[in-house]
Each structure stands twice: as C-alpha cells, then as structure tokens.
Amino acid sequence: MITTATAPGKLIVLGEHAVVYGKPAVALAIDKRFACTIQESDATYLNGNIADFDSNPHIRKILEMHGLRNIAITTESAIPPSSGLGSSAALSVALTAAVRKHLKKEIDENDISMEAFEAEYTAQGRASPIDTSCSTHGKGVALNCPKDVGKHLWTISKCSESWDVSDIPVPRMTFVVGYTGIRAATGPLVEKVKKFREHSRFASDIIDEIGNITLEGMKAMNKNDIEELGRIMTQDHKLLSILGVSCKELNKYVDASLAYSYGAKLTGSGGGGSMIALTERPDLVCEAIRLRGGQPFVVRTGVDGVSVDP
Ligand code: MEV
C-alpha cells in the first residue's frame, strides 16, 4: 500500500522565540506544501537511500512512536529547508499523518499535532508547538491568545510550559516573503536565546515585551486593523534583533520593504531564513528585496492543513 500525506509551511506573524517560554504567538499556513509518501520495504529508506536518522532525528522519533520499521519514505517539498517557513514541522506533520493512515490509526488533528510536536521537540532540543500546530490545522493559529480572539483547539504541555492552541479568523492580507538563501537551523537559535535569557534580566524583559505586543497584534488582526498589525510587526522585528536572532540581510530587506509596507519583520527562528512584509504593494516590495540580493515571493495564507490521500 502506498500512502501520501501533505502539510503546509507557515509564517509566524508575531511571537516567535518568546512562544518557547509560553508567550502568545500567531502563525498562518502558507500555500507551499511538504509531501510525504510511504510504503512497506525491506529496510528503512529516505528518498532512495538508507535513512540517516542522525541527520533526521524527527523521522526516527515518529517511526519509533509508532513502532514502525522497514518503510520507504519519499519526500517532495516546495518549502525551502531551514528558511523559517516551517519545512521541518511540515515534514513531521505529513509523515505522522501518512504513518497513521498506513497503520489504519485515526487521522485526528489533535493526535497528529501532539506527535509531530514531540518529534520536533526531540530534533530541536526545545520547541513550542506553533509550527506543528499551524501545519496540522492550517488556516490561522494562535497560541495562548485571549478567549475572544480564537476558538480553542487543543492544549499542549511540555516541561514547565503549556500552550492553548486556537483557530483564529484570517483577514485578507498580502504577505511578501524575502528569503535570504541562508540556511539557519532552528535548534541553535533557540539555544542562543535560552542562554541570553538565563544570563540577562534584560533578555527576559524583551521576551515579555514580545509577548505583550503580540497580544496587541492579535487584537488588531481580529479587528481587521492591518495598519496597526503592520506597525506591531515592525516593532517585533526590533525586539527580535535585540535578542540577537536577526542578521544583516534580514535587516536590509526589512528596511527596504518598509517604504511600501504596513510592517515587516523576520519570521521563524531568524539568523538567516526569511522575513515577511505585510503590504498592498507586493510588486514594489518584491523589487526592493530583489535589488538587495534577496529572493522574494508572494504567499497565499490561511490555506488548509494536513491532508491524507484517501
Ligand atoms: C520557529 O519557527 C519558531 C521558534 O519560536 C521556535 C519554536 O517555537 O519552536 C523560533
């Protein structure tokens, strides 16, 4: 039996890094998907080679959780790897769904998002469920948002943190992504912030501040106040820069985009990867990013989450 599942990438509108410490965050699913096909085999393969689990600890974890061996996995992705757009989480979500279907287990969003989060947590060393929840549910997802902003989906707890995951309405918005082409793994950036926070009161204040403005941003998005949302995104970028997770390319593209945008910021773990701009003039923003050496593209947001071939 051959089983295929696909899951979307995501962009984080507000709250990355701070969400690891239980602060609120908002993410939207994007129209770039990761596909995973599996079938029984005589050993465990990944794209035609014996699977290298040291480079893919999330895959190992998912197969272990389901006691599955001797499976050939084939992947295909439109999400650039280590780009801040959730390619690792989308793989974990799509593979979890494919494995569940293969083993005739229930295809339930809650179970898939929990298992994919476990896999990402193992791979990253520390994580929040923002990426895996958004890739599973699709549309718009907020973590730890006020009750009147979203509809509660599930709660995930790990170590001393807990996250209430909610579905939120997604207004019509246009986002341009500016990809730096610089691959930046999430784990080391999360670790960098952790160390900064452990050694500096200033860093934990910045994380609190990101949490506070994210709540304001959620309310603005809920009221369809795109101008205010953009302003808060730019503010968030400044705070993330102070936390040490931006880089000169991201700052350059954010700066260049602001002339034609409501707001702009890095998205995901930073250190390279991508930035986003919220705009009504996507062509001008794309041109500004391209002129500075970035790779711009417009994304559609609020798309469907995980899907399994019938
Ligand atoms: C990565 O897309 C988002 C981070 O907040 C890490 C996480 O939440 O697991 C940087």
Side-chain angles (χ1 to χ4, degrees), residues 10 12 16-17 19-20 124 127-128 130-131 186 190 268-269:
K10 60 85 205 26
I12 297 184
E16 51 272 267
H17 285 289
V19 67
V20 173
Q124 248 172 249
S128 82
I130 184 92
D131 293 10
T186 302
V190 169
S269 51

Side-chain angles (χ1 to χ4, degrees), residues 65-247:
M65 279 190 282
H66 290 278
L68 193 59
R69 295 167 65 180
N70 296 349
I71 201 99
I73 305 167
T74 312
T75 64
E76 210 180 312
S77 176
I79 315 166
S82 303
S83 62
L85 300 175
S87 109
S88 173
L91 183 160
S92 289
V93 169
L95 180 61
T96 300
V99 164
R100 286 191 145 266
K101 174 79 178 182
H102 179 82
L103 297 173
K104 301 191 172 34
K105 292 184 180 173
E106 203 184 336
I107 301 297
D108 173 74
E109 276 192 9
N110 193 340
D111 293 335
I112 293 171
S113 80
M114 300 274 178
E115 290 169 11
F117 170 59
E118 279 302 325
E120 289 297 295
Y121 197 97
T122 307
Q124 248 172 249
R126 197 181 177 91
S128 82
I130 184 92
D131 293 10
T132 41
S133 296
C134 186
S135 184
T136 303
H137 182 67
K139 307 170 190 69
V141 163
L143 265 57
N144 295 345
C145 67
K147 284 199 172 43
D148 55 344
V149 163
K151 185 171 144 285
H152 183 260
L153 294 170
W154 52 75
T155 299
I156 297 186
S157 304
K158 186 89 185 168
C159 300
S160 56
E161 304 301 350
S162 180
W163 298 271
D164 286 322
V165 180
S166 303
D167 170 275
I168 49 160
V170 183
R172 273 177 67 93
M173 294 180 283
T174 305
F175 285 96
V176 172
V177 172
Y179 178 41
T180 59
I182 302 167
R183 282 184 177 209
T186 302
L189 286 149
V190 169
E191 183 62 22
K192 182 177 176 182
V193 173
K194 177 173 165 266
K195 290 220 169 87
F196 191 16
R197 181 175 174 266
E198 277 165 2
H199 296 114
S200 150
R201 178 62 216 251
F202 182 64
S204 57
D205 286 349
I206 298 285
I207 287 170
D208 287 347
E209 186 59 21
I210 292 176
N212 294 339
I213 66 164
T214 297
L215 282 179
E216 295 308 310
M218 282 174 175
K219 289 178 198 156
M221 197 166 145
N222 194 252
K223 282 191 287 182
N224 219 344
D225 188 345
I226 304 303
E227 251 174 75
E228 175 69 356
L229 175 63
R231 192 188 63 72
I232 295 171
M233 284 170 54
T234 308
Q235 210 180 333
D236 192 21
H237 181 75
K238 290 178 195 160
L239 295 171
L240 288 164
S241 303
I242 298 170
L243 266 192
V245 295
S246 191
C247 67

Side-chain angles (χ1 to χ4, degrees), residues 230-308:
R231 192 188 63 72
I232 295 171
M233 284 170 54
T234 308
Q235 210 180 333
D236 192 21
H237 181 75
K238 290 178 195 160
L239 295 171
L240 288 164
S241 303
I242 298 170
L243 266 192
V245 295
S246 191
C247 67
K248 69 174 188 317
E249 289 79 2
L250 288 169
N251 291 344
K252 212 163 45 172
Y253 309 162
V254 165
D255 213 42
S257 303
L258 285 177
Y260 315 109
S261 307
Y262 294 117
K265 63 180 277 287
L266 70 82
T267 191
S269 51
S274 306
M275 50 70 68
I276 50 171
L278 175 57
T279 181
E280 277 178 10
R281 292 186 282 174
D283 293 347
L284 291 174
V285 173
C286 284
E287 188 57 15
I289 293 171
R290 196 176 295 112
L291 279 173
R292 280 148 188 98
Q295 299 165 42
F297 49 92
V298 177
V299 283
R300 197 160 61 80
T301 53
V303 304
D304 284 344
V306 65
S307 101
V308 186

